[in-house]
Each structure stands twice: as C-alpha cells, then as structure tokens.
Amino acid sequence: MARSWMEYRTPAWVQWCPGCGNFGILAAIQRAISELDIEPKKLTVVSGIGCSGRSCYYIKGSNMHVLHGRAIPVATGIKLANPSQTVIALGGDGDMLGIGVEHFVSVGRRNIDITVIVHDNAVYGLTKGQAGPTLPAWIQTKALPGPNLHDNINPVLLAFASGYTFIARGYAYHVEQTKELIKQAIEHKGTSLVQILQPCPTYNNIMTKQWYEERIYYLNEEEPDWDPVVSTHDEYIAKMPRILMKLVEWGDKIPLGVLYRNIAKDTFEERLSKIILNYYEYPPGRRPIEVEGKPLIDPWTVFKEKVVETQKI
Amino acid sequence: MKEPDILFLIGGPQGGGIESAGQIALKTLVLKGYSVLGTRDYKSNIMGAHSYYTIRARFSRPGAIRFPVDAVVALDAESILTHFTDVKPGGLFVYDSGVLKTKIDSIQPMEKALKDRLKELFASKGLPPITESAIKIAEENGVKLVPLPLRELVRKLAEKTGASLTSVSKAVNTMGLTAMMYLMGVEPRCVEKGIALHFAAKKKVVNINVEAARLAVEYVESNFGGPRETLPDGPHRGKKVMLATGNDLVAMGKLAGGLTFQSYYPITPASDEAIYMERFRYYELSNDAREKLGVPKLGTVIVQTEDELSAIMMALGAAAAGARASTSTSGPGFALMNEAISLAIMAEIPVVLTIWMRGGPSTGLPTKEGQQDLLHAMFSGHGDNPKIVLASGDHVEAFYDAIKALNWAEKYQTPVVHLLDKYLASTTTSLYPDEIDSSKATIERGVRVDDPSEDYKRYAITENGISPFAPIGAKDMILTGLEHTEEGFPTEDPVIRDEMMAKRRRKFETIAREIPPEEKVVLHGDPDAKITLVSWGSTKPIILEALKLLEEKGVKANFLQIRVFYPFPVKEVLDVLTRAETVINIEQNDLLQAAFLIRGFTGFTIKHHIKKLNGRALWDTEVVQAVLEILETGKEEVVVKGGA
Ligand SMILES: Cc1ncc(C[n+]2csc(CCOP(=O)(O)OP(=O)(O)O)c2C)c(N)n1
Ligand code: SF4
Ligand SMILES: [Mg+2]
C-alpha cells in the first residue's frame, strides 16, 4: 500500500503567506510522490533560493537547499552520482529562468532523468515583489516603481528548444491535476519540466487567481484528441505544428496539461552507461574507491602510454 | 668527466610541430638514460603565433630551465628574431637559411613592441631591419651558426619518400631538431628511436620523419662535420620512465585517489587535466583490487558543463550523494565559483577545486605563468570562509597532493583548494616508479555512515566539529546553505547560531591540529643557514637549483616552502623565519601575496622580495643574481625579467 501523503510532511513551519500558490504545489508534490510510493530517503528535492525554494524543508526527502539559480546542476550531480534516486529540482521563475537560466537550458541537452518544477509567480517573491522573468511587459505589479519594461520569457518553449523530453504546465490551485502532471513528469525517463502557474497574492496583484482562472483550460478536456507523445522522427514531424501552437499559446487562453513528450531520446545516464559499462551497478556515489585504504589502480599500468621502457633502445 | 647538462630550445609557429619536436627530443633523451625537463611556451592562439619548447637534460632531474641555452633551433624568421640572443657563446644556432631576407615588418604574428626593439638595435649597429641582421649579431656573439636549407631538404624528402610536398613539409621540425641533437652528440639512431616512439602506430609518419632526420644528419655532416664527441649515456637506461606534465599527474593522482566524479568547463591551463582523465574514465583495476572487489573495471564520471557555476555545483551535488568529487579550472573560472565555495563550507560538502593559476588580472596572460591567485584562494567565498588551501611544488607533489586533497575534503567535509600553475601544467619531466607509486598513498574518507540510524543528524554537534557524513539517499535529511539546526532545518536562533559557528570553528581547529607539520611546510637545505628564502608552488625545484648555485658562490641559504596556507602554519613558519638573519621572499605576483599572509598570520614582516611578473618561467640563475643583489645592496625588491 502506498504511503499517505501526510508521511511526506516535516516538522518545519510552512512559512508562506496565507493563500500563497505554493501551498497547492507543495500538496501536489507530496501527493504525487506518495502515489508513486517513493521512499522518503529515495527522494531528493533540490531547491534554489526564493519563497518557493523553501519547499525542500517541507517535503520529507534526502534534500538539499542550495544557491539562487543553482538547483539544476546540483540535482544533476546527485542524479549522476546515484542514478537510483528520484530527483526533483525546484525553484521560482527568477531562480530557474533568470539567474539560473543557463542551467535550465543546458539540462535539456543532457536529458538527465530529473524533474524540474518552476513555481511561476512572475515576481521575485522573497525579495519583495520585483519583476520576474515571466512577467509580461508594461504590467506594473504592486511593488514595482513603474511598469515592467522587459518582455516575458516563455518557459515551455525554451524548454522545448533546449531538448526537454517532457513539458507540462499546471496551475497551483488545482492540486489534483497538478499532482497528475508531476507524477507523469517523475515517471518520464529524461528531463521533465512542470511549469506551475502560481498566484502570489502578496505581490502579484495582476496575475491573480481570477486572472488565471479566466484563461486556463486543460488540453485533454478541450481537445480530446490531444496527443503530445512522440516516439519516432516521423511522428515528431507530423505532430510538431500543433504542439508548437500550444507551446506558444499565451494570453486570453492558456493551455494546461502535458504539452510535449518525447520517448525516443536516451538519457544522459544511458549514454554514460555505454562508456562506463557498469555505471548503474557502480555509480560515482556508490562505488568502492579503495581496498584496505589503498588505491585501486597503478598509474604505470593504466597510463602506460606515458611510460617509456628505456631498455628498448 | 663533468656530468653533462644540456639545455636547448626549439621555436616555430604554433601548429607547426613544436610540441611534437619537444616530445621527440624528450623521448630521445629519456631513451639515452637522461632525466629531463621540458616546458612549452605558447600564446593564446591556435595557429601562427610564435611558440617554443625548452628542454634541459642531465643525470639528475633538472629543476629549472634558463637562458642562455646551449642550442637553439629556429624554424622560422620570428623564431630567429626572438631567440638570436638566447644562445651561449660557443653554442649552436640552427635555423632556416631560406628566411634571411624576411623583413621584420612583414612578420605578421610578431609583437610590434619586439619589432620596434629589434629595429632600434639593428639600426644602432648599422644593420637593415631584416632577419639576417639577427644572424650577424649571433655570429658576432660567438655563436656557431648552422643554416639549414629547409625548403630544399623538404623537396628531397618528398622525392625520397614519394609523398607529396605538403605532407612532408611538416617534418621541418624533425630536421631542425635532429640537426641540432646530432651536433650536440646525440646519436642519430637514438633520435630515430625517439621518433618511432613518439609517432608509434603511425607507420607512414614514422617513416617520413626518420627519413627527414637522416637527410638532416647527412646535410649537417657534409657541410659542418660531425659532433666533437658523442654524448655519454645517462644513468637511467634500463629503467621504466614516465614522461608526464603536471596536468597529467594531477589527473593520474585523482583517478588513483579514487575520484569518481569530475566536472569542468574548458579553460587554459586547466582543461588538459580533465581531458586527459576523460581518456581513462573506464579503467582497469590493479590485480589485487580486481581480485578483492571482484570487478575488473570501474568508471569515473567526467562532465563538461555549461559554465563554472555548473561545474562546481554539479560536483557539490555528486559529493553530497557520496561521490568523491572535484572540479578543475583557472582564475577566471575560480572567480565564478566563489558563491559555491561558501555553500560548501556552510553545508559541509567535500569537494576539491584544482586551480591552475595563470597570469592575471582578468583574462590577463591566459597561457602564461603566474601565481596571482593565492589570496583569491584564501579568501574565496563570502562570509567567514575557512577552507583548506594546498600548493604543490613539483610534479611528484602534484600527484600525491591530488590524492591528499581528496582525502582531506572527505575527512573534513570541506572544500580543498589545490593550487598549481601554468608552468607545472605544461612542463614535462621524467619520473621513476619509486616516485610515482600509488601504493605509497592511502585513501581516507573520514567518518561515513552509509546506513544511518533513525536519529542520525547531518550536522550533529561534536567535540571535534566533524559530523558523521551520510550520503544523500541513505536517509531523509537536509543539507543547506542557510544557518541550520543539527537536523539541517533553517534557524536564526542566536544560541544555535553561536553553537554552529563554534562547531565549524572546532572543525577547522581539528584540521589544523591533524595535518602533520611536515605536510604544511618544508625547510629545504641547512636549517642553520643564515639566509632563508621563502616561496611556494612551482618555484620549488627552481629555488632548490638556486640554492646549489648559491652554495657554489659561497652563499649558504635554506628554503622554506609553504605547502599548506590554510589552516596557516603559524608556528612552523615563525620558527624558521625568526631564526634567519635575512629572509627573502620569492613569488610570481605583484602584491607579494604569500608575504602578506605571513605578515597577517604571524606578524612577521619580510623585508626583501624577488618577484617575476612577465609570465615566463622563473630561472634559477636569475634567483641567484637577485639574491646576491639583495645581499649586496639591501634592496627591498628585485623584479626579475628573464624570458622571450
Ligand atoms: C546570488 C543571489 N542574488 C540575489 C539573491 C536574492 N534573492 C533571493 S530570492 C530572489 C528572487 C526569488 O524569486 P524567484 O526565484 O522567482 O522565487 P520566488 O520567491 O518568487 O518563489 C533573489 C533575487 C540571492 N539569494 N542570491
Ligand atoms: S510573497 Fe508571494 S510567493 Fe512568497 S510566500 Fe508570499 S504569496 Fe507566496
Ligand atoms: Mg518567483
């Protein structure tokens, strides 16, 4: 029997403002991992800095709270060292798409089997409401001294261009649906993105619960034939126009659900195991490095191309 | 018989086989039983700029290169113009006789400043601004000229081998090198062995180069006669010898030291380390290990990341999950890693940062020597940021230090900055089995719990400040960069804050106590000498050579080499410095960074300094001269400026 989601709570005080979208995301993650029956110690949540980043203290796992923008490379290192671990990297829009955007992009190129969750409130919550990278231009949220002059980044399109093999969008207050997306993301083999639209009642007074709920719709409900799964190149070519239309749709209508999934690409771990043949059996975090305190290799044998046998003259 | 001690350089355009020629020369001399030192000087350029390889060989390992040399091989006009004054009187100057009419101004890659200096010099002697003028001056200086008609020889080579002109024209390096080595008394068959060894499986290339060597010898013999005498064989014939750079040895040390994860972003002069390692990322275990572990091969994951922020963070993630992890970079990349170092200190994550220093500030002299990142290493990371800083002095130290750094990182769950530099990175030397012996190294991981109990606390407060380490995945836990409770939950409580600051401080005191004094500093030479030279890093073998030269001149000095800068060996350093009458500090940076640290940690102010800033390797001879100058005049600072 699966563990109850309550088993994934921790003693820490959840310190978000009342009504914060992060509560819904937290619940969705806890429910997803409980339904997947992942043992707490086999789950790792790595988070960046921000209101959202606090989540790693609230989910029972073998977790790590790192630097602003740097959850993804840490998650990558953990996954590569211990590929049997379920690894989630999470952070805010500022964390993932501002200061850490180079990692957001590069992880896609590797297709490491981790799940990236972006808590997208379009503001910098923890530093008191500055514009986030997903805040559209000319919007002036509460804490801004003037309208935002930057255009907004499109996280799902960026993820697609970067090579993510699972891309989904959810909405923080829809715990049940978001939980399903997170479950699928975790189960997907490869780099997954779940962008979660997250109202911040304290600082984002424009993109509110009402604002979102007037716009969002679920793809599988409005378009019953929606099928974003790609398993061959031909299928990719055939489905791409429609998938791209959905990846760029934003404004009066905002699609939610799985936007793209590619099951044809191998993960970085699989690629590694073609070079280090016993990689899964002896991953970096779980392999012997000595016998009786002595090194496992003799440089004169392993690096023999550097050795000159002078008697051979 | 006086022990032979030969020193020469071969120069030519980058991409023109200078590296190959250097390697062939080193291998030839090793085959002859010599101990060698070879260093490559190159510019931040892929093709065309001047580069040169300087080699010294003798019976005991040479500790330094220096100018003037016994022989120069100049394969193009720029090399002639750069090195015509770098040969001793009576030495050899082997050059391409086809470039004598080349005008200084027509040599595009050459620095304008050098052109201007040469034009002025030539004009002052009534000579025209062409390459030939340099040859005239060399001749006046008593240098023996060996002009080689390289174009003609290349044409003959094409005829002889039936290969195309373009495919054989590369062999001019071999021609120049062989001509010079032949005249220095190295038997042509040894050079041929060196060529065969270097190009190994590439039969056709071996053949072309052997023929090139023979043509060169033939030409030299009929035009200049043979060598005065044959160079005697060295004492190391019959031995197994390893020819490796500092980059190679750190790579070897890390793999022998049980490294299981390395991340890096390409940068000179660091990336060759990771790239070399990557060739061996799935390696054979020794027989003993294979038997005891029941597995023939194991792998080390090496990842080229998107930048240095990712490189260090990935290493931290891997380390937290139980890997033995490191990253490798030079100054610019290290600067990007600062915030992560602070995280590693706070979250207590073991990681080794191998820093290959080069000339700064900024992009500075990206391919040249410098020791400007000592303070950077000491003060890297924000907040109170103690960490281990270790500096290797030579190739052998680099190998064992790479292992030691990994041990310390895990034992003390702390970042270890391992400082090395460009000179060590691209200098090759010969090493013997008793010097690089992995059985002399031990691997220690400290207190690790792979199966922690329910009440395990990641940041348990202990007497020695070290909390037992459990990897991520072993139990639910939390690692964090925020100030935290023993369980890892964030706290701003004033009492816990003090307790945690004290715990981390105790850990650092444990480190200071446990690292044996002889691993922190080494006093070379007579402990009772009145003069003490102080230095660190790759200047070590150079200063050891200088001590011998000083002794020949009747000056007795010893040398304090600082190996560990953090925790700073206050007592060990002070003991030596207060005993000396004159202390002279030697380093390759302008701020006199080690002297600054010595003053800060011990209160001892060093009054005399020798520094080198021009990006070229330090010479033993210029150290000697500077020491003598200081002893004579009492000067506070001498800047030495050797090198081309
Ligand atoms: C290197 C660095 N720069 C700046 C900060 C300050 N900072 C903390 S959180 C944050 C922004 C958080 O915004 P976001 O990532 O969107 O997370 P949210 O709080 O909205 O969940 C910033 C700029 C920091 N912690 N580190
Ligand atoms: S500031 Fe916004 S994002 Fe942060 S806790 Fe409050 S409501 Fe949530
Ligand atoms: Mg945000």
Side-chain angles (χ1 to χ4, degrees), chain B residues 477-493:
Chain B
M477 62 172 112
I478 177 110
L479 276 72
T480 176
L482 282 170
E483 188 57 280
H484 43 262
T485 62
E486 288 185 280
E487 292 79 11
F489 286 108
T491 178
E492 296 184 11
D493 181 80

Side-chain angles (χ1 to χ4, degrees), chain B residues 248-270:
Chain B
D248 299 333
L249 283 156
V250 168
M252 293 178 198
K254 284 185 176 178
L255 291 188
L259 182 83
T260 64
F261 188 92
Q262 164 123 336
S263 44
Y264 75 102
Y265 184 78
I267 192 165
T268 306

Side-chain angles (χ1 to χ4, degrees), chain A residues 57 110 287 300 305 310 313, chain B residues 237 276 299 306 436 480:
Chain A
Y57 299 110
R110 302 188 184 106
R287 52 151 273 203
W300 294 81
E305 50 104 36
T310 57
I313 198 159
Chain B
R237 284 224 17 212
Y276 186 65
E306 57 273 25
I436 301 300
T480 176

Side-chain angles (χ1 to χ4, degrees), chain A residues 274-300:
Chain A
K274 293 191 174 123
I275 291 160
I276 299 171
L277 300 180
N278 56 13
Y279 165 70
Y280 285 108
E281 205 184 334
Y282 294 102
R286 296 288 162 101
R287 52 151 273 203
I289 64 164
E290 41 85 32
V291 263
E292 290 150 15
K294 290 290 160 193
L296 301 181
I297 62 167
D298 169 23
W300 294 81

Side-chain angles (χ1 to χ4, degrees), chain A residues 10-12 40-42 44 54 56-57 60-68 70 73-74 76-78 80-82 85 102-103 106-107 109-110 268 272 275-279 282 284-300 302-303 305-313, chain B residues 30-31 190 197 236-243 248 252 256 258 260 276 279-286 292 295 297-301 305-307 309-310 313-314 317-318 321-324 349 431-433 436 438-439 441-443 445 472-482 488-490:
Chain A
T10 71
K41 71 173 185 183
K42 295 303 294 168
T44 291
R54 288 261 164 177
C56 68
Y57 299 110
K60 192 164 176 171
S62 206
N63 298 348
M64 198 158 155
H65 192 203
V66 295
L67 302 176
H68 192 26
R70 317 282 163 230
V74 173
T76 301
I78 291 170
L80 291 179
N82 183 357
Q85 196 74 357
E102 73 271 38
H103 313 307
S106 300
V107 70
R109 293 173 51 214
R110 302 188 184 106
F268 196 78
L272 264 179
I275 291 160
I276 299 171
L277 300 180
N278 56 13
Y279 165 70
Y282 294 102
R286 296 288 162 101
R287 52 151 273 203
I289 64 164
E290 41 85 32
V291 263
E292 290 150 15
K294 290 290 160 193
L296 301 181
I297 62 167
D298 169 23
W300 294 81
V302 174
F303 311 103
E305 50 104 36
K306 295 279 178 205
V307 177
V308 181
E309 304 268 359
T310 57
Q311 52 267 57
K312 277 192 195 149
I313 198 159
Chain B
V30 163
L31 286 170
C190 287
L197 188 62
H236 304 292
R237 284 224 17 212
K239 280 191 197 162
K240 234 180 166 183
V241 181
M242 185 186 278
L243 269 177
D248 299 333
M252 293 178 198
T260 64
Y276 186 65
R279 287 173 52 191
F280 303 95
R281 61 183 153 177
Y282 188 47
Y283 42 78
E284 306 248 350
L285 305 196
S286 66
K292 288 190 174 130
V295 55
K297 289 179 107 178
L298 282 172
T300 293
V301 170
T305 57
E306 57 273 25
D307 55 25
L309 304 168
S310 180
M313 295 307 279
M314 234 184 242
R324 193 162 247 223
I349 302 171
L431 299 144
Y432 305 103
I436 301 300
S438 57
S439 76
T442 45
I443 293 182
R445 308 198 81 173
I472 274 188
K475 187 194 172 290
D476 60 285
M477 62 172 112
I478 177 110
L479 276 72
T480 176
L482 282 170
F489 286 108

